[in-house]
Amino acid sequence: MADSKKEPPHQPRDESRRKFLKYSGTAIGGVVVGGVIGGLIGANGKNGKTEETPPAQPDTGKPAQAAERDFNQALMFFNQDQFLAAEAAAERIYPKDDSGPGAKELGVAFFIDHQMASSYGLNGREYMSPPFYKSEATQGYQLSFKRRELIALGLDALNTYSNDKLQKAFPDLAPEDQDKVLGDFEKDAVNLKGVPASTFFSYFLNLTIEGVYADPLYGGNKNMGGWRMRNFPGNQMSYTNDIEKDEFVKMEPLSLSDHLEIG
């Protein structure tokens, strides 16, 4: 006897893909987390039954809203003391004011931490073997230290110098005292092992500014707050609808992660 059951109607590719992402894991920054584990999350555990799967949300055509918890804000290199020192120092370099958030709110210390954990922090694309010769200022980074070693050394020195001079760790100092300590590093009034203190200060200052304005995909510029202060549109796919307009067009900024597509 012929089977009287009818096959379910064919679903469009986009709809089925959305369901796959929804029920097999969570898309975070363009990476699917969960896989098989995600498929087990819905299991009730009682009588071996599973909960009914909720219907897929309609596609509004707008970028997905950021999760309430930012999983990009996780330490990869710093220890806790180094991270807190980096967070406090970055906030003094780029403080919160009436124009917008400061470095702490923008997650700049996480950006720096992630950079130091990467190949960039290890000087992965640079020749770092001796002999070492005195370099010219125009030659860029020429230290025998890897970048992560320089930053870790400087952050540890911030706390040591603050404790020796003011009996408090750098993050615990009053803002005006933090400024004085940073000023001492900038003026080479602090003795670091094998490197001028001003070199650390200059490099950390540059990293702070980069963290304020880099794409949020890299850990800083949280919620694109740095871009919003500058009315910077971020990574738009096209300007064809606005390029001929005479007036300034203010756009909602987009991150690289808004354009990532899986499948």
Side-chain angles (χ1 to χ4, degrees), residues 6 57 72 77 95 99 105 109 144 156 160 174 203-204 218 224 235 254:
K6 295 182 180 179
Q57 296 297 318
N72 204 18
F77 172 68
S99 64
E105 189 175 341
S144 59
D156 289 340
T160 300
Y203 185 47
F204 187 85
Y218 300 104
M224 295 175 280
N235 294 285
L254 293 177

Side-chain angles (χ1 to χ4, degrees), residues 170-231:
F170 182 80
D172 299 327
L173 296 177
E176 56 271 19
D177 289 331
Q178 290 177 336
D179 290 345
K180 291 177 182 177
V181 169
L182 290 173
D184 288 346
F185 275 74
E186 185 180 18
K187 294 180 292 188
D188 279 330
V190 182
N191 183 27
L192 291 186
K193 298 177 181 178
V195 59
S198 60
T199 300
F200 160 75
F201 175 84
S202 176
Y203 185 47
F204 187 85
L205 184 150
N206 289 337
L207 284 170
T208 297
I209 301 303
E210 290 171 9
V212 170
Y213 296 114
D215 192 286
L217 190 68
Y218 300 104
N221 190 14
K222 186 175 181 181
N223 297 323
M224 295 175 280
W227 289 350
R228 294 179 196 278
M229 284 188 283
R230 298 281 184 172
N231 288 324

Side-chain angles (χ1 to χ4, degrees), residues 89-119:
E91 181 68 16
R92 295 313 304 154
I93 291 172
Y94 197 97
K96 179 178 181 179
D97 59 20
D98 293 339
S99 64
K104 181 176 181 179
E105 189 175 341
L106 292 170
V108 168
F110 286 105
F111 167 84
I112 298 174
D113 169 78
H114 294 183
Q115 292 296 299
M116 296 304 103
S118 71
S119 175

Side-chain angles (χ1 to χ4, degrees), residues 15 18-20 22-23 42 50-58:
E15 180 67 15
R18 282 195 298 273
K19 286 188 175 181
F20 170 78
K22 184 176 181 65
Y23 302 144
T50 57
E51 296 179 356
E52 184 178 351
T53 303
Q57 296 297 318

Side-chain angles (χ1 to χ4, degrees), residues 38-83:
L40 298 176
I41 292 176
N44 192 350
K46 296 180 180 180
N47 301 323
K49 296 181 180 180
T50 57
E51 296 179 356
E52 184 178 351
T53 303
Q57 296 297 318
D59 185 7
T60 62
K62 298 180 180 179
Q65 295 295 317
E68 185 175 344
R69 294 179 63 189
D70 187 351
F71 293 95
N72 204 18
Q73 294 198 329
L75 293 183
M76 298 180 180
F77 172 68
F78 290 149
N79 62 38
Q80 190 68 14
D81 288 339
Q82 290 168 345
F83 172 76

